[in-house]
Structure formats: C-alpha cells, structure tokens
Amino acid sequence: MTAAWPAPDPNTAAWSADEIAAGPVDDLNVTDSDTPDWPTADNRLERGYRRLLLAYPRRHRRRHGTEVVTTLLEMAAPGQRRPRLGEALHLIVSGLRLRFRLPAGRPLMAVAALLTALTVGGFGAAAGSWLGARTFADLPDEAGMARLTQQAGGDDPIYFLYSSSSWTADTAHSSSQADGTWDADQVRERFAADGWSVSGFTPITGMSGTVDGSGSPVEVPLHGKRFTAESSGLIVNVTGWNPAENSAVDLPSHVSFYAMPKQTTVLLPLVVVGTAVGLLAGWLLAAAGAYRMTAAPPGRRHAAAALCGAALVALALPAVALYGNVMRVFRDGNAKDGPPLTVHSAFTPGEYYPFGPQWLVLGLTVAGLVVAVAATLAARPAEQPPQPTVVPG
C-alpha cells in the first residue's frame, strides 16, 4: 500500500534519477532523524530498486545503496509499484560502467587488468571448445571397434587403442590381419549397404620388411587402397594392404582403420563466444580485485600484488598454448583426413612444448589458479562500516 505523499522538498526534487544512479550521493545523507514524516512506499518498488542495484559493485552498494534507494523512492510517483524502464536501464548501465572502471592513477593495475583479460579469454575459448566437443559423435567402445574391424574385412584385432592429442579430438585405432586377400570393393560395398556414406578409393603402395625361410631379411612390395566412410557424425578411414603377386615371401593381407568424430558447426561459434565472455570476465575480475586491493591494509596489499604477478606468470604458458590452438582451429579447421582440431585439448598431457614434462600446461594451470585464489584471500579489505538502516516505513 502507498500512503499519501507530502509535497516534494524543492532541495530534494532537484536530484534526478540519472544524477543519483551515476555515482555517490555524498551530500544526501538520509536518516530516520532527518525524515520523521518519510512516506510509505510499496515494498515491491523498493525490492525492484534493490535488485537493479545489483548491477553495481558490492563496494558501491555497501556505501551508497541505501541512500540511492531512499532517494529513488522519494522521487517515485504515488502508487508506483515497479521501477520505470528508463530508471532501470540507467541503473543497469551505470552499474556495469562502474564494474568495468579501474582505480584512477594506477597504471600498473591497468596493465594487470589487460593481461588478466587476455589470460581468462584463452580459458574462455577452451570452455567454448569443450562445450562444442560435447556435440561430437562418441567414439565406438571396444565391442564397436571389434564390429568395425570385421566390417572392414579384418580378422580378430591385433590391437586397438584410443589416442589423445594436445591439438585434436580423441581418435580410436584398430589393426588386424585380413581374412584372406583383402577385397577393397567388397569392404566398401559392405559399408555402403549398412548406411555409411563412402568416398572413392585412393591407391597406395609400400614395402614391408620380413625374413625368408633362411632367416635372411627381405622386403616385400605392398599395394592397397584407402577410403573413408561416414555415418552419424563418425568418420572411419579404412586402409587395406595386400602383398604384391609373386612375392618371394608369403605375407598375410593387412587392414587397419581409425575412427574420429566429425567437427560440428557449433564449435567455431562457441569458441568465439567463449573468448569474448572470457575477455569481459577477466577484466571484471581484475577491476574487482584492484578495488579490493586498494581497500586492503598496506601489508596485505603488497602480498596480494606479488601473488597476482606470480599467478599471471604461471598462467602465461597455458594461455599461449590455448591461443595457439585457437589459431589452428580457425586456420586449419577440420584437417583433411584428420580428427577435428580443438582448443581445450591443450590441457591433454603431451609434448605440446619441446621443454618440460608432458603435464606442463595442465600443471601450470592448476598452480596459477591456486596462486590466484591465494591473492584474492590476501587482498582481504579492512573492516568496513555497516550499511545504514533501511528506509523507514
């Protein structure tokens, strides 16, 4: 319910909603003693204003939130139950502008904010890539690999394995001897009959080293064919070899294949969105941390600054690896005859860099995040005065 409103005070009415939302209202200290006849406003209107003030940083809400809300309530029209659209938009835009603002006169904080934004942007690209990879087709399990081996004209698999890479999505490989002479046409027709979309043949030649009956080494010429089959987002590259006719040594035919997912159309857009969100989030985190550090006592402030620098150093190599994968994804896309390139695969242990252990990227990422959390804890601000009481009524 809204009680009768007294005539507006000309000194107070001179304040517009824009002036109140744009910044601190230091000269307007509204307390119970100053306003004994404060009007009673609809609680829904007050809650609406407080929800809109969530766009502002916590430090600003704690210091000026109550006086802004009380002044906005005083300026509200009798019977008003929710914030007007113009007020809402202005509060949101002004709050976001304050969230992106850095402390003035501190150029090192601006440099740190830029580096933080770039670093988090790389991790955002990895998050978008990971989400995009969730739309890839699943690799066949062991039973599925055995079925594909028989479909490709092989006997019992000699081996099959799943391989991972620091640049691409995972793949599954199988190798086995063929049941008799490997018939490429028959195998290709078998895949087509099962609903696979098959490509044409690519002739291949090679050599195989073995020993003859006397134990002497001998090379046997090989010839074969390769084709690709695709179904339900899964691609299988099939390769079969037969020894040359009239070869000195009788070798069995051999067939192998590797299965990989096909890159979906959502991968690249998700990488772009993830990078953009990461850049914005990184700057917001840096801005919030900068104000947190300025409010901390000198000892904790210096410790937090040192830890922030250490975190950025630790995360530098992982960020470079992630942006390197971003460049590969957009430059090469789904590499021909190879698995799709991804960004988040940089975290997969492997020889991404020619130095350090295989878990270097992942290890530095974990270490950097731990140090970043320590920096946040070290930048704990000093005790702040309590927020003024809520509007009377």
Side-chain angles (χ1 to χ4, degrees):
M1 298 294 296
T2 304
W5 287 70
D9 185 346
N11 295 325
T12 303
W15 291 83
S16 67
D18 288 356
E19 292 171 326
I20 294 169
V25 189
D26 294 330
D27 297 331
L28 185 63
N29 292 320
V30 182
T31 62
D32 293 354
S33 59
D34 295 333
T35 57
D37 297 325
W38 195 272
T40 302
D42 194 300
N43 289 334
R44 287 173 291 184
L45 181 59
E46 179 185 341
R47 288 196 299 268
Y49 282 133
R50 292 200 177 277
R51 282 194 293 267
L52 290 172
L53 286 184
L54 292 176
Y56 285 77
R58 185 174 181 271
R59 66 182 185 278
H60 192 86
R61 297 197 308 271
R62 183 178 179 86
R63 180 175 297 181
H64 306 291
T66 296
E67 58 185 288
V68 171
V69 170
T70 52
T71 307
L72 288 169
L73 289 173
E74 183 188 31
M75 296 172 56
Q80 182 178 340
R81 296 185 177 183
R82 59 179 59 87
R84 290 184 288 268
L85 179 60
E87 291 177 330
L89 292 177
H90 187 80
L91 286 170
I92 293 173
V93 172
S94 299
L96 293 178
R97 187 171 60 222
L98 282 178
R99 284 187 179 273
F100 279 95
R101 184 180 299 171
L102 295 173
R106 298 177 183 269
L108 288 181
M109 284 188 174
V111 174
L114 178 60
L115 294 176
T116 302
L118 291 174
T119 300
V120 180
F123 285 90
S129 171
W130 182 84
L131 289 175
R134 299 310 97 196
T135 66
F136 291 177
D138 293 331
L139 293 176
D141 56 14
E142 293 185 3
M145 291 293 287
R147 289 193 298 270
L148 282 175
T149 300
Q150 295 178 354
Q151 193 171 13
D155 206 343
D156 293 334
I158 299 175
Y159 75 87
F160 59 83
L161 58 88
Y162 298 89
S163 64
S164 57
S165 164
S166 298
W167 298 274
T168 66
D170 293 347
T171 56
H173 302 256
S174 174
S175 177
S176 69
Q177 293 181 358
D179 186 10
T181 301
W182 188 72
D183 190 335
D185 293 312
Q186 185 182 61
V187 171
R188 184 174 178 274
E189 290 174 1
R190 188 181 305 156
F191 272 92
D194 288 343
W196 293 73
S197 175
V198 295
S199 69
F201 289 117
T202 301
I204 52 177
T205 59
M207 301 290 291
S208 177
T210 184
V211 294
D212 58 17
S214 62
S216 301
V218 62
E219 289 187 341
V220 178
L222 302 176
H223 61 83
K225 293 181 180 179
R226 178 184 294 127
F227 73 93
T228 300
E230 180 181 338
S231 177
S232 301
L234 186 68
I235 300 175
V236 177
N237 285 325
V238 182
T239 302
W241 300 90
N242 291 314
E245 296 181 1
N246 302 321
S247 59
V249 178
D250 186 19
L251 286 179
S253 299
H254 181 268
V255 61
S256 64
F257 70 86
Y258 67 93
M260 61 185 180
K262 182 181 179 181
Q263 178 178 305
T264 55
T265 56
V266 300
L267 177 66
L268 296 184
L270 285 174
V271 171
V272 172
V273 172
T275 304
V277 171
L279 291 171
L280 294 175
W283 187 273
L284 288 173
L285 288 173
Y291 282 102
R292 184 180 175 91
M293 289 173 60
T294 55
R300 290 206 296 263
R301 182 165 65 247
H302 296 154
L307 289 171
C308 283
L312 288 174
V313 170
L315 295 173
L317 277 178
V320 170
L322 292 173
Y323 279 114
N325 277 10
V326 169
M327 293 177 61
R328 292 185 182 91
V329 166
F330 283 93
R331 181 187 63 197
D332 301 326
N334 192 4
K336 184 179 180 181
D337 297 331
L341 297 163
T342 56
V343 179
H344 66 283
S345 53
F347 296 120
T348 303
E351 300 294 340
Y352 192 95
Y353 289 110
F355 52 83
Q358 293 191 351
W359 44 264
L360 179 63
V361 173
L362 183 59
L364 287 176
T365 298
V366 174
L369 293 178
V370 171
V371 176
V373 171
T376 302
L377 297 176
R380 185 174 68 258
E383 292 296 327
Q384 301 292 322
Q387 186 175 1
T389 56
V390 183
V391 181

